[in-house]
Amino acid sequence: MTNDPLHMITYSDQVRVLVAVDCIIFGFDGDQLQILLIKRGFQPAKDQWSLMGGFVGKKETLDGAAERILFELTGLKDVYLEQLSAYGSPERDPIERTVSVAYFALIDINTYKTQISDRYHAEWFLINEAPSLIFDHNNMVEEAKKRIRYKAALHPILFELMPTKFTIPQLQNLYEQVYNAKIDNRNFIRKVNSTDLLIKLTEKDKSSSKRGAFYYTLDKNKYKAKFQSFLNFIPNPENLIS
Amino acid sequence: MTNDPLHMITYSDQVRVLVAVDCIIFGFDGDQLQILLIKRGFQPAKDQWSLMGGFVGKKETLDGAAERILFELTGLKDVYLEQLSAYGSPERDPIERTVSVAYFALIDINTYKTQISDRYHAEWFLINEAPSLIFDHNNMVEEAKKRIRYKAALHPILFELMPTKFTIPQLQNLYEQVYNAKIDNRNFIRKVNSTDLLIKLTEKDKSSSKRGAFYYTLDKNKYKAKFQSFLNFIPNPENLIS
DNA sequence: AAATTAAACGTCAAATTAACGATTATTAAT
DNA sequence: ATTAATAATCGTTAATTTGACGTTTAATTT
């Protein structure tokens, strides 16, 4: 048995495989939840839609590779990035066996640098209108959505998607898109306010109503401090997840 | 830039690396929460304690490799096994770059087949008395503990560690070890009963008290059906999850 | 000035929670 | 028969959280 650690002195008789990183990049523009995809410009699966990915470099960590790939596509650094899972089915890449470590990112689309991404033929898609993807990328996206729903029910990660200035109706809109559910407006405001995470600004956004909605910013310190708290924004999330 | 997907036709100029799986195996014998470790019989790090691991075979999935390794060490199949995370720091293995995908397993120690494990010099350690491990295995174990604490606060995964027949005091004991905290006995019983997951047997365990505690078994169907429910066994888990 | 729109605030009864106190049951040891 | 020891049950409380709804407010459009 070649995989038996007891009888191995070196690793010489083991298979080496490619290791890649794929990023599921979620974005919000204050209105719609979107996902960033690229059209592959090379074989295999040329001209098909795909997640942004790449191989892990010689001296790179997995997190480092994910950060690099995200930066190459969006021009952004210091973005919320979390490892989703590793995918390693032997047939997942038809050219050569490749283990892929998937990461998901949450970004504010307004900070996205479009000029950098042009060379990758990147495009934003509404979360419910995204095309079918190559290999097992559809599965990765599904699992990423599930993870976000799970996590956002308990922790304030969706704030990572919001613009620096945002309104509470915008925030509620995002939650409604993530959970595909209508949320009671009065209860939502109460919960958001009770977290004490937001700082109310004097300025208003008048684009969506006559009265206008106050802008808020995130109190970053409180956000970091309370991130692990179980906020329970979403009542009975188990009814909505998956 | 060699990692640029745009200018690649094949994958030929990419680095191939070893991919391994490491298993954090938690066990409970009805009394103590333990972890199963092996003493490495080969270089590097010969005679040091380590997680049970192995390389992913040519035609194996990651999950498949984890199942195989778990079976080799414990003789067990159909055990709770969940991917924890992938670890890929370039220096994590001194011999050659190896990306490791860590899995954690939860087993009932009573079903553990000791004769199979003998060849690996495996040993159970109390969770708080485990020795220091090779490479980044200490870190993996810490993250696995964290994950279990997180998950067990919301879902009934700790039942996976229980013997077929167990008592409520045993169950409470396990929760107290996992969270390193004293749990109110009256509230705990009330919550456990309200989940409706347990079937009370007529037999009693008299080993730990004069009166004896009733044995229970898990109602597997209800367990599966309610696994995703948020049970809230642990009040304010954020104070306990580090 | 009235109408319109959605934002923001308020109310309430029901349910759930954690933190306790007290009691009863069972059986081995004395 | 009494004591000791743990298991199990029952009950109480105040505080908090819940969901469901009604009402008011602010600013723009007409």
Side-chain angles (χ1 to χ4, degrees):
Chain A
M1 226 209 279
T2 55
N3 288 321
D4 184 348
L6 256 192
H7 301 99
M8 259 176 0
I9 311 300
T10 71
Y11 305 149
S12 56
D13 56 351
Q14 294 302 325
V15 204
R16 272 87 182 153
V17 302
L18 291 164
V19 176
V21 161
D22 286 302
C23 294
I24 301 112
I25 303 168
F26 293 102
F28 186 64
D29 60 4
D31 184 39
Q32 300 266 221
L33 180 61
Q34 293 168 63
I35 184 170
L36 188 58
L37 302 173
I38 61 168
K39 195 166 218 168
R40 272 169 76 101
F42 56 96
Q43 293 299 345
K46 187 171 187 296
D47 292 331
Q48 285 189 255
W49 290 103
S50 156
L51 292 172
M52 177 69 179
F55 295 107
V56 177
K58 227 181 166 71
K59 293 177 179 175
E60 247 179 352
T61 61
L62 300 175
D63 289 2
E67 281 166 20
R68 170 179 55 79
I69 285 161
L70 188 69
F71 179 75
E72 285 170 14
L73 187 63
T74 66
L76 300 179
K77 288 186 175 180
D78 297 319
V79 148
Y80 187 90
L81 195 58
E82 179 178 329
Q83 191 185 118
L84 177 66
S85 191
Y87 297 84
S89 163
E91 324 82 29
R92 55 175 298 285
D93 186 315
I95 296 290
E96 182 180 340
R97 178 154 195 188
T98 306
V99 169
S100 174
V101 182
Y103 283 77
F104 69 92
L106 303 177
I107 74 166
D108 162 21
I109 292 185
N110 302 307
T111 64
Y112 165 70
K113 309 280 187 302
T114 177
Q115 71 282 5
I116 300 181
S117 73
D118 281 351
R119 56 195 295 260
Y120 291 108
H121 308 282
E123 207 168 296
W124 287 104
F125 287 88
L126 296 186
I127 199 75
N128 295 318
E129 297 175 9
S132 188
L133 307 176
I134 62 162
F135 303 169
D136 52 357
H137 289 194
N138 290 312
N139 180 40
M140 292 179 182
V141 172
E142 281 313 306
E143 292 192 15
K145 283 189 199 171
K146 224 169 169 175
R147 174 78 67 86
I148 287 173
R149 284 199 205 104
Y150 190 97
K151 200 149 183 176
L154 301 169
H155 306 286
I157 56 165
L158 296 188
F159 288 99
E160 302 281 352
L161 287 159
M162 301 306 289
T164 334
K165 288 189 312 190
F166 59 90
T167 69
I168 293 190
Q170 279 178 332
L171 184 66
Q172 181 176 343
N173 172 27
L174 174 59
Y175 273 87
E176 291 181 341
Q177 287 183 53
V178 168
Y179 291 98
N180 226 338
K182 187 93 196 101
I183 297 173
D184 184 281
N185 168 260
R186 296 151 291 188
N187 292 336
F188 184 78
I189 291 176
R190 180 158 37 104
K191 282 189 183 179
V192 169
N193 284 332
S194 76
T195 64
D196 203 30
L197 291 175
L198 298 188
I199 300 165
K200 192 178 193 166
L201 305 181
T202 49
E203 193 190 352
K204 277 186 170 182
D205 166 38
K206 287 179 184 152
S207 63
S208 66
S209 82
K210 292 168 184 174
R211 179 182 180 178
F214 278 105
Y215 277 118
Y216 288 79
T217 43
L218 188 61
D219 184 327
K220 302 248 173 179
N221 291 328
K222 287 184 182 165
Y223 173 75
K224 281 181 190 169
K226 294 191 176 182
F227 188 83
Q228 285 304 322
S229 300
F230 286 25
L231 296 178
N232 203 29
F233 273 177
I234 305 299
N236 302 316
E238 64 264 32
N239 299 331
L240 300 171
I241 294 163
S242 97
Chain B
M1 227 212 275
T2 55
N3 288 322
D4 184 345
L6 254 192
H7 300 98
M8 259 176 2
I9 310 300
T10 73
Y11 305 149
S12 56
D13 56 349
Q14 294 300 327
V15 203
R16 272 81 181 160
V17 302
L18 291 164
V19 175
V21 161
D22 286 303
C23 293
I24 301 111
I25 302 168
F26 294 103
F28 187 64
D29 59 5
D31 184 39
Q32 301 265 225
L33 181 60
Q34 293 167 63
I35 184 170
L36 188 58
L37 302 173
I38 61 167
K39 195 167 218 169
R40 272 168 76 99
F42 55 96
Q43 294 299 346
K46 189 169 183 297
D47 292 332
Q48 286 189 254
W49 291 103
S50 156
L51 292 172
M52 177 70 179
F55 294 107
V56 176
K58 227 182 166 71
K59 293 177 179 175
E60 248 179 352
T61 61
L62 300 176
D63 288 3
E67 281 166 19
R68 170 179 56 79
I69 286 161
L70 188 68
F71 179 75
E72 285 171 13
L73 187 62
T74 67
L76 299 179
K77 288 186 175 179
D78 298 319
V79 148
Y80 187 90
L81 195 57
E82 178 179 331
Q83 192 185 118
L84 177 65
S85 190
Y87 298 84
S89 163
E91 323 83 28
R92 54 174 300 283
D93 186 316
I95 297 290
E96 181 178 341
R97 178 153 196 189
T98 307
V99 169
S100 175
V101 182
Y103 283 77
F104 69 92
L106 304 177
I107 74 167
D108 163 21
I109 292 185
N110 302 307
T111 64
Y112 165 69
K113 308 281 188 301
T114 176
Q115 71 283 3
I116 300 181
S117 74
D118 280 351
R119 56 196 294 258
Y120 291 109
H121 308 282
E123 208 168 296
W124 287 104
F125 288 88
L126 296 186
I127 199 75
N128 295 317
E129 296 175 9
S132 187
L133 307 177
I134 61 161
F135 304 170
D136 52 358
H137 289 194
N138 290 312
N139 180 41
M140 291 179 183
V141 172
E142 281 312 305
E143 292 192 15
K145 284 189 199 170
K146 226 169 170 174
R147 174 77 68 87
I148 287 173
R149 285 200 204 104
Y150 190 97
K151 200 149 183 176
L154 302 168
H155 307 285
I157 56 165
L158 296 188
F159 288 98
E160 302 281 353
L161 286 160
M162 301 306 288
T164 334
K165 288 190 310 191
F166 59 90
T167 68
I168 293 190
Q170 278 177 333
L171 184 66
Q172 181 175 346
N173 172 28
L174 174 59
Y175 273 87
E176 292 182 340
Q177 287 183 53
V178 168
Y179 290 98
N180 226 337
K182 188 92 196 101
I183 296 172
D184 184 280
N185 169 260
R186 298 151 292 188
N187 291 337
F188 184 79
I189 291 176
R190 187 153 31 105
K191 281 188 184 180
V192 169
N193 284 332
S194 75
T195 64
D196 203 31
L197 292 175
L198 298 188
I199 300 165
K200 192 177 193 166
L201 305 182
T202 48
E203 193 190 352
K204 277 185 171 183
D205 167 38
K206 287 177 187 156
S207 63
S208 66
S209 83
K210 293 167 185 174
R211 179 183 180 178
F214 279 104
Y215 277 118
Y216 288 79
T217 42
L218 188 61
D219 184 327
K220 302 248 173 178
N221 291 329
K222 287 185 182 163
Y223 173 75
K224 280 181 192 168
K226 295 192 176 181
F227 188 83
Q228 285 304 323
S229 300
F230 287 25
L231 295 178
N232 202 28
F233 273 177
I234 305 298
N236 301 315
E238 64 266 30
N239 299 331
L240 301 171
I241 297 164
S242 55

